[in-house]
Amino acid sequence: MKLSELAFERQDYAYAFLDEFAKRELRRKILKAIAIPGYQVPYASREVPMARGWGTGGLQVSLALVGVNDTVKVIDQGDDDSVNAANLRRFIARMTGVKTTTDTLAASLIQSRHRIPEELLNERQVLVLQVPMPEILSSIEPSYARAREMHSDGDYALLWLGLYEDLVKYREVSYGADYPVLVNGRYVMAPSPIPRFDTPKLHQAAHLTLLSAGREKRLYAVPPYTDVYPLEFEDVPFQIEDQRGWRDASTGAAGKFMSEIPQDGGGSSYQLSDTGLKQKLERQMAGEEIEIGATYFDDDTNFYITGFLKGAS
Amino acid sequence: MSLLEMTLDAPRLLEMQPLLRVNNLCKNYGGIRALENVSLHVYPGEVLGIVGESGSGKSTVLRLLNLEEPETSGTYQLEIPELLGQNLFELNRFQKRETRVHHIGIVYQNPHLGLRMHKSSSGNVAERLILAGEKRFAELRRAARESLQASEFPIARMDEPPIHLSGGMQQRVQLAKAIAMKPKLLLLDEPTTGLDVSVQALVLDTLKRLQFELEMTMILVSHDLGVIRTLADRVMVMRGGRVVESGLTDQVLEDPQHAYTQQLVHAKL
Ligand SMILES: Nc1ncnc2c1ncn2[C@@H]1O[C@H](COP(=O)(O)OP(=O)(O)O)[C@@H](O)[C@H]1O
Ligand SMILES: [Mg+2]
């Protein structure tokens, strides 16, 4: 028997754009990342028809995972309709023929930049986060070799010192997004620039989170039901951005992450950053029968795992 | 215990185990032999001075004792319960860090080597406790303040970065950092060189008091025989990476045996 008889016939286009070798490499690296939660696994990072920095890392992971039965949702800062999200979604759909959706509940694969949806993700869903800077230690240790050594020693003293310095200087921790988290009690990782509001959603989450940086060629994972704790001093608890008192202008929804919209008069109005949820709420208000899932935070910004946020105001 | 019984006890030094035992330490840098068979024993609470001209290997000894660099050959032991019988040079990177954090403090001549110049002074001290696993902010503050106070650092300036401080104050921050974990062993590499004479005297006073209060064993490197005379119980004279003479400070400085030591002492006078 000849090798050519065993192999698939050569095709100009591969399913999901990446060739089978690229996808196999990615899947192996993803498995390794899942096996070592929070550990950054280097990967080849192929060329895709999109500039580095526009979500090529997330895209490659999505392409390696997506199958004909998937339904894909892509968001950018919570928004399904931003140019970047729309481009990525259209590309994935064209290269795979999968269905797309803006409804978090209907999606099996969600690629996102900077947000985790407000509705609870479940065990059958995969969240792919686009990562600009995977190395949480890069701001304090310019040498990647040294940073890797620090990870292997579990030496995160400089991160703690950074928190100490913030508290001394500003009386609060200055990390906005990308707040460092300890995964599975072992590796500290950059959760990608999700707001602090989204950070607790990673803790003991039912879904699998994959984080991938195309330019930096690293991917890492938070497997389902894994401990993810923000770095916090015992006596200075981690705090999420305060969203209290803000309501979505059209639906009145509260206790979720809001985008501020400056008004002509100088004031601000607010709207849900999660536009998929916003649309569903609007349709519900218009009388449509529509399922809204349980959310990580209730209307009073109480987190669904009671006691996890010690600093909950 | 009566006075009689006490005088019948064996002399203290005969019964005591040395805290630190270094045998036949050698260090090469490429073709350069920086240390040649250096051996030293230091007893608990003792201050050992090391003198010698520049390039004689004094700093190299301290860097090796602080487990910063690999040795070429030799053994190094500390008489500390969890390290008994262990050649410290054989520890892995992680164990070396643990040992350094818990049991060894160091003050460098150049504060840039010992401090993060742009972090707060209190943070520099707190880092030692962070490394030892402290996760309470209030405790870090308390311990940093306590150590800085013990080093007679002006506490109102505890959150200023060392880069804004005078040389004397920088050395006090280094000292506070070195003693933050109350280590058994304190290594001092020309801690007062480059300071004004008056500031130098004050820092030496602080050192003397701390050594007494914390019962630390100290190894003090200096090319200033005055500094050695003030602090050291015993002195070791080095030249070209070798120990040429050692003994009680008074003896060595009053009655040097080796020609090189005689030269040193006379140059000083
Ligand atoms: N990192 C290094 N690389 C090469 N040579 C070194 C290094 N450190 C020290 N040396 C050499 O080792 C010898 C001892 O240096 P050092 O311990 O700094 O002396 P001291 O502190 O007594 O002035 C010198 O000859 C010096 O040039
Ligand atoms: Mg020197």
Side-chain angles (χ1 to χ4, degrees), chain A residues 140 146 149 152-158 160-165 167-169 232-236, chain B residues 93-94 97 116 118-120 122-124 126-127 130-131 134-141 144 158-159:
Chain A
I140 48 180
R146 249 313 275 152
E149 219 173 79
S152 56
D153 290 354
D155 176 1
Y156 297 117
L158 281 174
W160 287 98
L161 182 58
L163 298 185
Y164 173 95
E165 292 284 300
L167 289 173
V168 165
K169 263 193 238 155
E232 60 184 338
F233 288 115
E234 283 169 21
D235 47 356
V236 186
Chain B
R93 187 177 69 218
F94 182 76
R97 191 189 78 190
R116 301 184 189 281
H118 296 274
K119 303 274 186 205
S120 66
S122 65
N124 270 284
E127 185 181 355
I130 292 172
L131 278 165
E134 181 56 61
K135 293 285 155 63
R136 291 165 300 177
F137 180 67
E139 176 57 21
L140 291 175
R141 295 294 285 167
M158 69 185 272
D159 292 330

Side-chain angles (χ1 to χ4, degrees), chain B residues 56-75:
Chain B
S56 58
K58 306 182 299 291
S59 299
T60 306
V61 170
L62 291 200
R63 280 199 304 275
L64 291 177
L65 295 188
N66 195 38
L67 301 170
E68 285 170 45
E69 285 180 16
E71 83 295 1
T72 300
S73 65
T75 61

Side-chain angles (χ1 to χ4, degrees), chain B residues 30-170:
Chain B
I32 302 174
R33 189 82 160 159
L35 295 180
E36 172 84 36
N37 281 327
V38 173
S39 297
L40 49 120
H41 291 192
V42 191
Y43 287 86
E46 194 186 20
V47 181
L48 175 72
I50 304 182
V51 292
E53 65 196 358
S54 131
S56 58
K58 306 182 299 291
S59 299
T60 306
V61 170
L62 291 200
R63 280 199 304 275
L64 291 177
L65 295 188
N66 195 38
L67 301 170
E68 285 170 45
E69 285 180 16
E71 83 295 1
T72 300
S73 65
T75 61
Y76 173 19
Q77 289 174 306
L78 284 182
E79 194 78 5
I80 286 170
E82 63 263 38
L83 296 171
L84 285 185
Q86 174 71 51
N87 177 5
L88 302 185
F89 291 135
E90 283 169 0
L91 297 176
N92 66 31
R93 187 177 69 218
F94 182 76
Q95 295 167 319
K96 279 184 177 166
R97 191 189 78 190
E98 291 288 294
T99 305
R100 223 172 16 234
V101 167
H102 289 277
H103 305 302
I104 307 175
I106 188 162
V107 175
Y108 301 90
Q109 176 183 354
N110 179 352
H112 285 264
L113 286 176
L115 296 177
R116 301 184 189 281
M117 295 306 265
H118 296 274
K119 303 274 186 205
S120 66
S121 297
S122 65
N124 270 284
V125 180
E127 185 181 355
R128 297 294 278 196
L129 288 108
I130 292 172
L131 278 165
E134 181 56 61
K135 293 285 155 63
R136 291 165 300 177
F137 180 67
E139 176 57 21
L140 291 175
R141 295 294 285 167
R142 191 201 62 72
R145 190 176 293 117
E146 182 186 283
S147 285
L148 284 164
Q149 238 151 12
S151 320
E152 289 157 45
F153 179 88
I155 217 68
R157 306 187 67 179
M158 69 185 272
D159 292 330
E160 285 181 37
I163 192 88
H164 293 159
L165 302 174
S166 69
M169 281 197 242
Q170 289 174 348

Side-chain angles (χ1 to χ4, degrees), chain A residues 39-307:
Chain A
Y39 173 77
Q40 299 165 47
V41 184
Y43 71 103
S45 195
R46 313 292 161 138
E47 288 299 326
V48 285
M50 202 168 292
R52 298 268 195 239
W54 291 89
T56 57
L59 179 63
Q60 290 175 74
V61 167
S62 295
L63 292 173
L65 294 182
V66 71
V68 284
N69 296 323
D70 273 308
T71 305
V72 173
K73 170 180 164 83
V74 183
I75 47 176
D76 180 350
Q77 305 264 28
D79 189 348
D80 293 271
D81 297 324
S82 80
V83 177
N84 190 214
N87 274 338
L88 286 163
R89 182 172 53 238
R90 201 179 48 175
F91 183 76
I92 296 171
R94 269 176 63 199
M95 293 298 133
T96 61
V98 296
K99 285 188 298 230
T100 63
T101 183
T102 60
D103 182 355
T104 299
L105 296 185
S108 57
L109 180 72
I110 301 173
Q111 180 173 334
S112 167
R113 171 176 176 266
H114 296 193
R115 277 309 312 276
I116 297 176
E118 301 288 2
E119 289 166 286
L120 280 165
L121 299 179
N122 64 41
E123 287 160 346
R124 285 169 292 104
Q125 294 177 302
V126 176
L127 174 68
V128 179
L129 286 170
Q130 300 169 199
V131 178
M133 194 55 237
E135 182 49 80
I136 191 79
L137 298 173
S138 66
S139 58
I140 48 180
E141 177 50 65
S143 152
Y144 269 23
R146 249 313 275 152
R148 255 199 304 278
E149 219 173 79
M150 289 160 76
H151 279 296
S152 56
D153 290 354
D155 176 1
Y156 297 117
L158 281 174
L159 285 174
W160 287 98
L161 182 58
L163 298 185
Y164 173 95
E165 292 284 300
D166 280 355
L167 289 173
V168 165
K169 263 193 238 155
Y170 314 116
R171 292 179 185 284
E172 60 181 10
V173 172
S174 66
Y175 281 104
D178 221 352
Y179 192 100
V181 289
L182 179 66
V183 182
N184 200 30
R186 177 60 184 85
Y187 288 101
V188 172
M189 79 168 199
S192 88
I194 54 174
R196 293 200 308 273
F197 187 86
D198 286 349
T199 309
K201 297 176 182 174
L202 291 168
H203 177 70
Q204 286 295 329
H207 68 278
L208 165 66
T209 305
L210 297 168
L211 304 101
S212 174
R215 185 171 30 120
E216 304 291 325
K217 304 182 170 59
R218 314 257 191 109
L219 63 83
Y220 46 108
V222 179
Y225 303 110
T226 300
D227 280 347
V228 177
Y229 288 100
L231 294 195
E232 60 184 338
F233 288 115
E234 283 169 21
D235 47 356
V236 186
F238 167 83
Q239 284 186 324
I240 59 174
E241 294 92 346
D242 194 354
Q243 309 293 314
R244 283 170 308 172
W246 296 352
R247 287 185 172 276
D248 180 75
S250 61
T251 65
K256 310 291 176 290
F257 197 70
M258 299 289 174
S259 309
E260 186 172 351
I261 300 166
Q263 300 295 298
D264 282 346
S268 299
S269 84
Y270 297 91
Q271 80 176 25
L272 282 173
S273 152
D274 184 337
T275 60
L277 177 62
K278 183 178 167 70
Q279 278 167 19
K280 285 203 294 183
L281 288 171
E282 280 165 358
R283 282 161 61 192
Q284 194 181 46
M285 280 170 75
E288 211 172 309
E289 190 79 21
I290 197 156
E291 191 192 348
I292 310 256
T295 51
Y296 289 99
F297 289 94
D298 71 11
D299 291 354
D300 299 320
T301 335
N302 294 313
F303 190 56
Y304 79 115
I305 304 175
T306 36

